[in-house]
Amino acid sequence: MFKMFTTLVRARTHDAAEAIEDANALTILRQQLRDAADGLQGAKRAVAVVIAYAEREKNNATKIAGQINDLELRAVEALRQDREDLATEAASAIAELEAEAAASARATAHYDAEIRRLREQVSLSEQRLRALQRGKQIADAAARTQKLRGTMPDGVVSSLREAEATLERLQSRQDHAEAVDVALRDLTTGPSAEGTVARLAAAGCGAPLRPEAAHVLDRLRAKTA
């Protein structure tokens, strides 16, 4: 029973931690990216330090090479003058310098390899950091969009739907009324018996429907005669 209780406590603690992490994921991501950027700057400084060490070792190797060359010339001159003691001393110094030069060459090779490795790591880290920063920008935009979406009350959406339905019904009634008006105009201006008789009389088909001015004038002349 105690084991089950401790398991339950651990499970709830884990769930609570995950809930907090999920609720603050964007804030956590921003801090992680800041930490990664700071770490990357530290890595760049480390590369710069290694490059400085390598450059110092190369300068030392150049200096040793100059010393060896100078000692060799002087040793040869000592041999020409039969100064075996000086030539032997010079040979011993040259041997020491050559050993130092070999060690310097190994150190330079190590530095060069380390610089290449660190530069590759820095370059890869910079690419990953840029990709994460682009992803953070997308996440920021999505969060702002979700926040704006959450500020729209449900009542506004339902009111808009109701207004759209009302407008649709109004437009439907207006379209119907317009159709009725068109039909009435067609019926009013359409052919009728009276209209047909009037058009026939005007065309001289049958007796005129009303006296014409010429006929009235003829009747008046007849009266005067």
Side-chain angles (χ1 to χ4, degrees):
M1 184 67 180
F2 179 75
K3 183 177 180 182
M4 184 180 297
F5 177 75
T6 56
T7 302
L8 178 61
V9 171
R10 287 167 50 213
R12 287 185 174 177
T13 303
H14 180 74
D15 291 344
E18 280 194 343
I20 294 173
E21 184 176 355
D22 291 340
N24 300 278
L26 195 54
T27 302
I28 294 172
L29 176 61
R30 293 193 189 101
Q31 185 57 45
Q32 288 173 335
L33 288 178
R34 285 192 290 268
D35 293 342
D38 292 341
L40 186 58
Q41 286 300 116
K44 287 181 178 180
R45 286 193 294 270
V47 174
V49 169
V50 174
I51 291 174
Y53 280 138
E55 195 64 29
R56 187 177 66 180
E57 199 64 46
K58 290 175 183 178
N59 291 335
N60 187 46
T62 301
K63 178 182 176 182
I64 291 173
Q67 290 175 332
I68 290 174
N69 183 63
D70 181 61
L71 281 172
E72 285 181 348
L73 293 175
R74 294 179 186 278
V76 169
E77 185 64 26
L79 290 173
R80 287 176 182 157
Q81 297 179 13
D82 294 329
R83 294 295 305 270
E84 287 287 339
D85 55 333
L86 292 176
T88 301
E89 184 179 347
S92 176
I94 289 171
E96 290 291 333
L97 288 173
E98 286 179 344
E100 187 176 346
S104 178
R106 288 193 298 272
T108 300
H110 173 75
Y111 283 139
D112 289 341
E114 190 67 14
I115 289 169
R116 285 193 299 270
R117 185 183 66 82
L118 290 174
R119 278 179 167 169
E120 289 176 358
Q121 289 183 349
V122 167
S123 178
L124 180 59
S125 297
E126 284 179 332
Q127 293 176 10
R128 294 173 65 184
L129 181 60
R130 285 193 295 268
L132 286 168
Q133 288 172 339
R134 288 192 295 270
K136 183 188 73 67
Q137 291 174 351
I138 296 173
D140 282 334
R144 286 192 293 269
T145 302
Q146 291 172 356
K147 187 178 295 184
L148 290 174
R149 187 185 306 148
T151 59
M152 184 67 68
D154 294 337
V156 174
V157 177
S158 61
S159 297
L160 289 173
R161 291 198 190 99
E162 293 172 358
E164 289 168 350
T166 302
L167 177 61
E168 185 177 356
R169 289 195 301 271
L170 178 60
Q171 289 175 340
S172 178
R173 287 198 298 269
Q174 289 174 342
D175 292 342
H176 178 71
E178 181 67 22
V180 170
D181 290 340
V182 171
L184 288 174
R185 286 196 298 271
D186 291 342
L187 290 174
T188 302
T189 59
S192 62
E194 292 82 0
T196 302
V197 171
R199 286 193 295 274
L200 288 170
C205 301
L209 296 180
R210 63 179 183 176
E212 295 183 358
H215 294 164
V216 174
L217 184 58
D218 289 342
R219 188 174 68 249
L220 292 174
R221 285 175 179 167
K223 288 181 178 182
T224 58

